[in-house]
Coordinates of all heavy atoms in Angstrom, one line a residue:
S1 N -82.9 -69.4 56.5 CA -82.6 -70.3 55.4 C -82.3 -71.7 56.1 O -81.9 -71.7 57.3 CB -81.5 -69.9 54.6 OG -80.2 -70.0 55.2
K2 N -82.3 -72.7 55.3 CA -82.1 -74.0 55.9 C -80.6 -74.1 56.3 O -80.3 -74.7 57.3 CB -82.4 -75.1 54.8 CG -82.3 -76.5 55.3 CD -82.8 -77.4 54.2 CE -82.8 -78.9 54.7 NZ -83.3 -79.8 53.7
S3 N -79.7 -73.6 55.5 CA -78.3 -73.6 55.9 C -78.0 -72.9 57.2 O -77.2 -73.3 58.0 CB -77.4 -73.1 54.8 OG -77.7 -71.8 54.5
L4 N -78.6 -71.7 57.4 CA -78.5 -71.0 58.6 C -79.0 -71.8 59.8 O -78.4 -71.8 60.9 CB -79.2 -69.6 58.6 CG -79.1 -68.7 59.8 CD1 -77.7 -68.3 60.1 CD2 -80.0 -67.5 59.6
G5 N -80.1 -72.4 59.6 CA -80.7 -73.2 60.7 C -79.8 -74.4 61.1 O -79.7 -74.7 62.3
T6 N -79.2 -75.0 60.1 CA -78.2 -76.1 60.4 C -77.0 -75.6 61.1 O -76.5 -76.2 62.1 CB -77.8 -76.7 59.0 OG1 -78.9 -77.2 58.4 CG2 -76.8 -77.9 59.3
A7 N -76.5 -74.4 60.7 CA -75.3 -73.9 61.3 C -75.5 -73.4 62.7 O -74.7 -73.5 63.6 CB -74.7 -72.7 60.5
V8 N -76.7 -72.8 63.0 CA -77.0 -72.2 64.3 C -77.8 -73.1 65.2 O -77.8 -72.9 66.4 CB -77.7 -70.8 64.1 CG1 -78.1 -70.2 65.4 CG2 -76.8 -69.9 63.3
G9 N -78.5 -74.0 64.6 CA -79.5 -74.8 65.4 C -79.0 -75.5 66.6 O -79.7 -75.5 67.6
G10 N -77.8 -75.9 66.6 CA -77.3 -76.6 67.8 C -76.5 -75.7 68.7 O -76.0 -76.2 69.7
S11 N -76.3 -74.5 68.4 CA -75.5 -73.6 69.2 C -76.3 -72.9 70.2 O -77.4 -72.4 70.0 CB -74.9 -72.5 68.2 OG -74.2 -71.6 69.0
T12 N -75.7 -72.7 71.4 CA -76.4 -72.0 72.5 C -75.8 -70.6 72.7 O -76.3 -69.8 73.5 CB -76.4 -72.8 73.8 OG1 -75.0 -73.0 74.1 CG2 -77.1 -74.1 73.7
N13 N -74.8 -70.3 71.9 CA -74.1 -69.0 72.1 C -74.5 -68.0 71.1 O -74.0 -66.8 71.1 CB -72.6 -69.1 72.3 CG -72.0 -69.7 71.1 OD1 -72.6 -70.1 70.1 ND2 -70.6 -69.8 71.1
V14 N -75.3 -68.3 70.1 CA -75.7 -67.3 69.1 C -77.0 -66.7 69.6 O -78.0 -67.3 69.9 CB -76.0 -68.0 67.7 CG1 -76.6 -67.0 66.7 CG2 -74.8 -68.6 67.2
V15 N -77.0 -65.3 69.9 CA -78.1 -64.7 70.5 C -78.8 -63.7 69.5 O -79.9 -63.3 69.8 CB -77.7 -63.9 71.8 CG1 -77.2 -64.8 72.8 CG2 -76.7 -62.8 71.5
M16 N -78.1 -63.4 68.4 CA -78.8 -62.4 67.5 C -78.3 -62.7 66.0 O -77.2 -63.1 65.8 CB -78.4 -61.0 67.8 CG -79.0 -59.9 67.0 SD -78.5 -58.3 67.5 CE -79.5 -58.2 69.1
I17 N -79.2 -62.5 65.1 CA -78.9 -62.6 63.7 C -79.4 -61.3 63.0 O -80.5 -60.9 63.1 CB -79.7 -63.8 63.1 CG1 -79.2 -65.1 63.7 CG2 -79.4 -63.9 61.5 CD1 -80.1 -66.3 63.3
L18 N -78.4 -60.7 62.3 CA -78.8 -59.5 61.6 C -79.0 -59.9 60.1 O -78.1 -60.6 59.5 CB -77.6 -58.5 61.6 CG -77.2 -58.0 63.0 CD1 -75.9 -57.1 62.9 CD2 -78.3 -57.3 63.7
C19 N -80.2 -59.6 59.6 CA -80.5 -60.1 58.3 C -81.3 -59.1 57.5 O -81.7 -58.0 58.0 CB -81.2 -61.4 58.4 SG -82.7 -61.3 59.4
G20 N -81.6 -59.4 56.2 CA -82.3 -58.5 55.4 C -83.1 -59.3 54.3 O -83.5 -60.4 54.5
H21 N -83.2 -58.7 53.2 CA -83.8 -59.3 52.0 C -85.4 -59.5 52.1 O -85.9 -60.0 51.2 CB -83.2 -60.7 51.6 CG -81.7 -60.6 51.3 ND1 -81.2 -59.9 50.3 CD2 -80.7 -61.0 52.0 CE1 -79.9 -60.0 50.3 NE2 -79.6 -60.6 51.4
R22 N -86.0 -58.9 53.1 CA -87.4 -59.0 53.1 C -88.0 -57.6 53.0 O -89.2 -57.4 52.9 CB -87.9 -59.6 54.4 CG -87.6 -61.1 54.5 CD -88.7 -61.8 55.2 NE -88.5 -63.2 55.1 CZ -89.0 -64.1 56.0 NH1 -89.8 -63.6 56.9 NH2 -88.8 -65.3 55.9
H23 N -87.2 -56.6 53.1 CA -87.6 -55.2 53.0 C -88.7 -54.8 54.0 O -89.6 -54.0 53.7 CB -88.1 -54.9 51.5 CG -87.1 -55.2 50.5 ND1 -85.9 -54.6 50.4 CD2 -87.1 -56.2 49.5 CE1 -85.2 -55.1 49.4 NE2 -85.9 -56.1 48.8
T24 N -88.5 -55.4 55.2 CA -89.4 -55.0 56.3 C -88.6 -54.8 57.6 O -87.5 -55.4 57.7 CB -90.4 -56.2 56.6 OG1 -89.7 -57.4 56.9 CG2 -91.4 -56.4 55.4
D25 N -89.2 -54.1 58.5 CA -88.6 -53.9 59.8 C -89.2 -54.9 60.8 O -90.4 -55.1 60.8 CB -88.8 -52.5 60.4 CG -87.9 -51.5 59.8 OD1 -86.8 -51.8 59.5 OD2 -88.3 -50.3 59.8
D26 N -88.3 -55.6 61.5 CA -88.8 -56.5 62.5 C -87.7 -56.9 63.5 O -86.6 -57.0 63.1 CB -89.4 -57.8 61.9 CG -90.1 -58.7 62.9 OD1 -90.9 -58.2 63.7 OD2 -89.9 -59.9 62.9
I27 N -88.1 -57.1 64.7 CA -87.1 -57.7 65.7 C -88.0 -58.7 66.5 O -88.9 -58.4 67.2 CB -86.6 -56.6 66.7 CG1 -85.9 -55.5 66.0 CG2 -85.7 -57.3 67.7 CD1 -85.5 -54.3 66.8
S28 N -87.6 -60.0 66.2 CA -88.4 -61.1 66.9 C -87.5 -62.3 67.0 O -86.6 -62.5 66.1 CB -89.7 -61.4 66.1 OG -89.4 -61.7 64.8
P29 N -87.8 -63.2 67.9 CA -87.1 -64.5 68.0 C -87.4 -65.4 66.9 O -88.5 -65.3 66.3 CB -87.5 -65.1 69.4 CG -88.8 -64.4 69.7 CD -88.8 -63.1 69.0
I30 N -86.4 -66.2 66.5 CA -86.6 -67.1 65.4 C -86.1 -68.5 65.9 O -85.0 -68.6 66.4 CB -85.9 -66.7 64.1 CG1 -86.1 -67.7 63.0 CG2 -84.4 -66.5 64.3 CD1 -85.6 -67.3 61.6
A31 N -87.0 -69.5 65.8 CA -86.7 -70.9 66.3 C -85.8 -71.6 65.3 O -86.1 -71.7 64.1 CB -87.9 -71.7 66.5
L32 N -84.6 -71.9 65.7 CA -83.6 -72.7 64.9 C -83.1 -73.9 65.7 O -82.1 -73.8 66.3 CB -82.4 -71.8 64.5 CG -82.8 -70.6 63.6 CD1 -81.6 -69.7 63.4 CD2 -83.3 -71.0 62.2
G33 N -83.8 -75.0 65.6 CA -83.4 -76.1 66.4 C -83.5 -75.8 67.9 O -84.5 -75.3 68.4
A34 N -82.4 -76.1 68.7 CA -82.4 -75.9 70.1 C -82.2 -74.4 70.4 O -82.3 -74.0 71.5 CB -81.3 -76.7 70.7
S35 N -81.8 -73.6 69.4 CA -81.5 -72.2 69.6 C -82.7 -71.3 69.2 O -83.5 -71.7 68.4 CB -80.3 -71.8 68.7 OG -80.0 -70.5 68.9
K36 N -82.8 -70.2 69.9 CA -83.9 -69.2 69.5 C -83.3 -67.8 69.6 O -83.7 -67.0 70.4 CB -85.1 -69.4 70.5 CG -86.4 -68.8 70.0 CD -87.6 -69.2 70.8 CE -88.8 -68.6 70.2 NZ -90.0 -69.0 70.9
P37 N -82.4 -67.5 68.6 CA -81.8 -66.1 68.6 C -82.8 -65.1 68.2 O -83.8 -65.4 67.5 CB -80.7 -66.3 67.6 CG -81.1 -67.4 66.7 CD -81.9 -68.3 67.6
M38 N -82.5 -63.8 68.5 CA -83.3 -62.7 68.0 C -82.9 -62.4 66.6 O -81.7 -62.3 66.3 CB -83.0 -61.5 68.9 CG -84.0 -60.3 68.7 SD -85.7 -60.7 69.2 CE -85.5 -61.0 71.0
Q39 N -83.9 -62.3 65.7 CA -83.7 -61.9 64.3 C -84.0 -60.4 64.2 O -85.1 -60.0 64.5 CB -84.6 -62.7 63.4 CG -84.4 -62.4 62.0 CD -85.3 -63.2 61.1 OE1 -86.5 -63.3 61.3 NE2 -84.8 -63.9 60.1
V40 N -83.0 -59.7 63.6 CA -83.2 -58.2 63.5 C -83.1 -57.9 62.0 O -82.2 -58.2 61.3 CB -82.0 -57.4 64.1 CG1 -82.2 -55.9 63.9 CG2 -82.0 -57.7 65.6
R41 N -84.3 -57.4 61.5 CA -84.4 -57.0 60.0 C -84.6 -55.5 59.9 O -85.2 -54.9 60.8 CB -85.5 -57.8 59.4 CG -85.3 -59.2 59.3 CD -86.3 -59.9 58.3 NE -87.7 -59.4 58.3 CZ -88.7 -60.0 59.0 NH1 -88.4 -61.1 59.7 NH2 -89.9 -59.5 59.0
T42 N -84.0 -54.9 58.9 CA -84.2 -53.5 58.6 C -84.5 -53.4 57.2 O -84.0 -54.0 56.3 CB -82.8 -52.8 59.0 OG1 -82.5 -53.1 60.3 CG2 -83.0 -51.3 58.8
S43 N -85.5 -52.5 56.9 CA -86.0 -52.2 55.6 C -84.8 -51.8 54.6 O -83.8 -51.4 55.1 CB -87.0 -51.2 55.5 OG -88.2 -51.6 56.2
A44 N -85.1 -51.9 53.4 CA -84.1 -51.6 52.3 C -83.8 -50.1 52.2 O -84.7 -49.3 52.5 CB -84.6 -52.1 51.0
M45 N -82.6 -49.8 51.8 CA -82.2 -48.4 51.6 C -83.0 -47.6 50.6 O -83.2 -46.4 50.7 CB -80.7 -48.3 51.2 CG -79.7 -48.8 52.3 SD -79.8 -47.7 53.7 CE -79.0 -46.2 53.1
F46 N -83.7 -48.3 49.7 CA -84.5 -47.6 48.7 C -85.7 -46.9 49.3 O -86.3 -46.0 48.7 CB -84.9 -48.5 47.5 CG -86.0 -49.5 47.9 CD1 -87.4 -49.1 47.8 CD2 -85.8 -50.8 48.3 CE1 -88.4 -50.0 48.1 CE2 -86.8 -51.7 48.7 CZ -88.1 -51.2 48.6
K47 N -86.0 -47.3 50.6 CA -87.1 -46.7 51.3 C -86.8 -45.4 51.9 O -87.6 -44.6 52.3 CB -87.7 -47.6 52.3 CG -88.4 -48.8 51.8 CD -89.1 -49.6 52.9 CE -90.0 -50.7 52.3 NZ -90.7 -51.4 53.3
G48 N -85.5 -45.0 51.9 CA -85.0 -43.8 52.5 C -83.7 -43.9 53.1 O -83.2 -45.0 53.5
A49 N -83.0 -42.8 53.4 CA -81.7 -42.7 54.0 C -81.7 -43.1 55.5 O -80.6 -43.4 56.0 CB -81.1 -41.4 53.8
D50 N -82.9 -43.2 56.1 CA -82.9 -43.5 57.5 C -83.2 -45.0 57.8 O -83.5 -45.3 58.9 CB -84.0 -42.6 58.2 CG -85.4 -42.9 57.6 OD1 -85.5 -43.6 56.6 OD2 -86.4 -42.5 58.3
Q51 N -82.9 -45.8 56.8 CA -83.2 -47.3 57.0 C -81.9 -47.9 57.5 O -81.2 -48.7 56.8 CB -83.6 -47.9 55.7 CG -84.9 -47.3 55.2 CD -86.1 -47.5 56.1 OE1 -86.4 -48.6 56.5 NE2 -86.7 -46.4 56.6
W52 N -81.6 -47.7 58.8 CA -80.4 -48.3 59.4 C -80.7 -48.4 60.9 O -81.6 -47.8 61.4 CB -79.2 -47.5 59.2 CG -79.3 -46.0 59.6 CD1 -79.8 -45.0 58.9 CD2 -79.0 -45.5 60.9 NE1 -79.8 -43.8 59.6 CE2 -79.3 -44.1 60.8 CE3 -78.4 -46.0 62.0 CZ2 -79.1 -43.3 61.9 CZ3 -78.2 -45.2 63.1 CH2 -78.6 -43.8 63.0
R53 N -79.9 -49.2 61.6 CA -80.0 -49.3 63.1 C -78.7 -49.2 63.7 O -77.7 -49.5 63.1 CB -80.6 -50.7 63.4 CG -82.0 -51.0 63.0 CD -82.4 -52.4 63.4 NE -83.6 -52.8 62.8 CZ -84.8 -52.6 63.3 NH1 -84.9 -52.0 64.5 NH2 -85.9 -53.1 62.7
R54 N -78.7 -48.7 65.0 CA -77.5 -48.7 65.8 C -77.5 -50.0 66.7 O -78.5 -50.3 67.3 CB -77.4 -47.5 66.7 CG -76.1 -47.5 67.5 CD -76.0 -46.3 68.3 NE -77.0 -46.3 69.4 CZ -77.3 -45.4 70.3 NH1 -76.6 -44.2 70.2 NH2 -78.2 -45.5 71.2
I55 N -76.4 -50.7 66.6 CA -76.2 -51.9 67.5 C -75.1 -51.6 68.5 O -74.0 -51.3 68.1 CB -75.8 -53.1 66.6 CG1 -76.7 -53.4 65.4 CG2 -75.7 -54.4 67.5 CD1 -78.1 -53.7 65.7
R56 N -75.5 -51.6 69.8 CA -74.5 -51.3 70.8 C -74.2 -52.6 71.6 O -75.2 -53.2 72.1 CB -75.1 -50.3 71.8 CG -75.2 -48.9 71.0 CD -75.6 -47.8 72.0 NE -74.4 -47.5 72.7 CZ -74.4 -46.7 73.8 NH1 -75.6 -46.1 74.2 NH2 -73.3 -46.4 74.5
L57 N -73.0 -52.9 71.7 CA -72.5 -54.1 72.4 C -72.1 -53.7 73.8 O -71.2 -52.8 74.0 CB -71.4 -54.8 71.7 CG -71.6 -55.2 70.2 CD1 -70.4 -55.8 69.6 CD2 -72.8 -56.1 70.1
H58 N -72.6 -54.4 74.8 CA -72.3 -54.2 76.2 C -71.8 -55.5 76.8 O -71.9 -56.5 76.2 CB -73.5 -53.7 77.0 CG -74.1 -52.4 76.6 ND1 -73.6 -51.2 77.0 CD2 -75.0 -52.1 75.7 CE1 -74.3 -50.2 76.4 NE2 -75.2 -50.8 75.6
K59 N -71.2 -55.5 78.0 CA -70.7 -56.7 78.6 C -71.8 -57.7 78.8 O -71.6 -58.9 78.6 CB -70.1 -56.3 79.9 CG -69.5 -57.5 80.6 CD -68.8 -57.0 81.9 CE -68.2 -58.2 82.6 NZ -67.4 -57.8 83.9
D60 N -73.0 -57.3 79.1 CA -74.1 -58.2 79.5 C -75.3 -58.1 78.6 O -76.3 -58.8 78.8 CB -74.6 -57.9 80.9 CG -75.1 -56.5 81.1 OD1 -74.8 -55.6 80.3 OD2 -75.7 -56.3 82.1
K61 N -75.3 -57.3 77.5 CA -76.5 -57.1 76.7 C -76.1 -56.5 75.3 O -75.0 -56.0 75.2 CB -77.5 -56.3 77.3 CG -77.0 -54.8 77.5 CD -78.0 -54.0 78.3 CE -77.5 -52.6 78.6 NZ -78.3 -51.9 79.5
I62 N -77.0 -56.7 74.4 CA -76.9 -56.0 73.1 C -78.1 -55.1 72.9 O -79.2 -55.6 73.1 CB -76.8 -57.0 71.9 CG1 -75.6 -57.9 72.1 CG2 -76.7 -56.3 70.6 CD1 -75.6 -59.1 71.1
E63 N -77.9 -53.9 72.6 CA -79.1 -53.0 72.3 C -79.2 -52.7 70.9 O -78.2 -52.5 70.2 CB -78.9 -51.6 73.1 CG -78.9 -51.7 74.5 CD -78.6 -50.4 75.2 OE1 -78.0 -49.5 74.6 OE2 -79.0 -50.3 76.4
V64 N -80.4 -52.7 70.4 CA -80.7 -52.5 69.0 C -81.7 -51.3 68.9 O -82.7 -51.3 69.6 CB -81.4 -53.7 68.3 CG1 -81.7 -53.5 66.9 CG2 -80.6 -55.0 68.5
S65 N -81.3 -50.3 68.1 CA -82.1 -49.1 68.0 C -83.3 -49.3 67.1 O -83.3 -50.2 66.2 CB -81.3 -47.9 67.5 OG -81.0 -48.0 66.1
A66 N -84.2 -48.4 67.2 CA -85.3 -48.4 66.2 C -84.7 -47.9 64.9 O -83.6 -47.3 64.8 CB -86.4 -47.4 66.7
T67 N -85.3 -48.3 63.8 CA -84.8 -47.9 62.5 C -84.7 -46.4 62.3 O -85.7 -45.7 62.5 CB -85.7 -48.5 61.4 OG1 -85.7 -49.9 61.5 CG2 -85.2 -48.1 60.0
G68 N -83.5 -45.9 62.0 CA -83.2 -44.5 61.8 C -83.3 -43.6 63.0 O -83.3 -42.4 63.0
A69 N -83.4 -44.2 64.2 CA -83.6 -43.5 65.5 C -82.6 -44.0 66.5 O -83.0 -44.8 67.4 CB -85.0 -43.5 66.0
P70 N -81.3 -43.7 66.5 CA -80.4 -44.3 67.4 C -80.6 -44.0 68.8 O -80.1 -44.7 69.7 CB -79.0 -43.7 66.9 CG -79.4 -42.4 66.2 CD -80.8 -42.7 65.6
E71 N -81.4 -43.0 69.1 CA -81.6 -42.6 70.5 C -82.7 -43.5 71.1 O -82.9 -43.5 72.4 CB -82.0 -41.1 70.7 CG -83.4 -40.8 70.1 CD -83.5 -40.7 68.6 OE1 -82.4 -40.8 67.9 OE2 -84.6 -40.6 68.0
K72 N -83.5 -44.2 70.3 CA -84.6 -45.1 70.8 C -84.2 -46.6 70.7 O -84.0 -47.1 69.7 CB -85.8 -44.9 70.0 CG -87.0 -45.6 70.4 CD -88.3 -45.4 69.6 CE -89.4 -46.3 70.1 NZ -90.5 -46.2 69.2
V73 N -84.1 -47.2 71.9 CA -83.8 -48.6 72.0 C -85.0 -49.4 71.7 O -86.0 -49.3 72.4 CB -83.2 -49.0 73.3 CG1 -82.9 -50.5 73.4 CG2 -81.9 -48.2 73.6
A74 N -85.0 -50.2 70.6 CA -86.2 -51.0 70.2 C -86.1 -52.4 70.9 O -87.2 -53.0 71.1 CB -86.2 -51.1 68.7
A75 N -84.9 -52.9 71.2 CA -84.8 -54.2 71.8 C -83.5 -54.4 72.5 O -82.5 -53.7 72.1 CB -84.9 -55.3 70.7
T76 N -83.5 -55.1 73.5 CA -82.3 -55.5 74.3 C -82.3 -57.0 74.4 O -83.2 -57.6 74.8 CB -82.4 -54.8 75.7 OG1 -82.5 -53.4 75.6 CG2 -81.1 -55.1 76.5
V77 N -81.1 -57.5 74.1 CA -80.9 -59.0 74.2 C -79.8 -59.2 75.2 O -78.7 -58.7 75.1 CB -80.5 -59.5 72.8 CG1 -80.2 -61.0 72.9 CG2 -81.6 -59.2 71.8
G78 N -80.1 -60.1 76.2 CA -79.1 -60.4 77.2 C -78.1 -61.4 76.6 O -78.4 -62.2 75.7
V79 N -76.8 -61.2 77.1 CA -75.7 -62.1 76.6 C -75.0 -62.6 77.9 O -75.0 -62.0 78.9 CB -74.8 -61.4 75.6 CG1 -75.5 -61.1 74.4 CG2 -74.1 -60.2 76.2
G80 N -74.2 -63.6 77.7 CA -73.4 -64.1 78.8 C -74.1 -65.2 79.7 O -75.2 -65.6 79.3
V81 N -73.4 -65.5 80.7 CA -73.9 -66.5 81.7 C -75.2 -66.1 82.3 O -75.3 -64.9 82.8 CB -72.9 -66.9 82.7 CG1 -73.4 -67.9 83.7 CG2 -71.6 -67.3 82.1
G82 N -76.2 -66.9 82.3 CA -77.5 -66.6 83.0 C -78.3 -65.7 82.3 O -79.2 -65.0 82.9
R83 N -78.2 -65.5 81.0 CA -79.0 -64.6 80.3 C -80.4 -65.0 80.3 O -81.4 -64.5 80.1 CB -78.5 -64.4 78.8 CG -78.5 -65.7 78.0 CD -77.9 -65.4 76.7 NE -77.6 -66.7 76.2 CZ -77.8 -67.1 75.0 NH1 -78.3 -66.4 74.1 NH2 -77.4 -68.3 74.6

């Protein structure tokens, strides 16, 4: 959204955005001004009880699981200095 772009666009410390409302699964970067955080979308619950993701926070990275499969890492995003 335009307001999200304004809020995040000048920030260099936002690395991930968890969002919804499109009823699709996707993990991809999104350009917001000077920032390009990873956008994580997960399908709606009406598609089934397995429409969720595990997000694991580590000192140097964030791991995002595949939808409904916590054992499968679908994306890793670096965080901290020198990411």
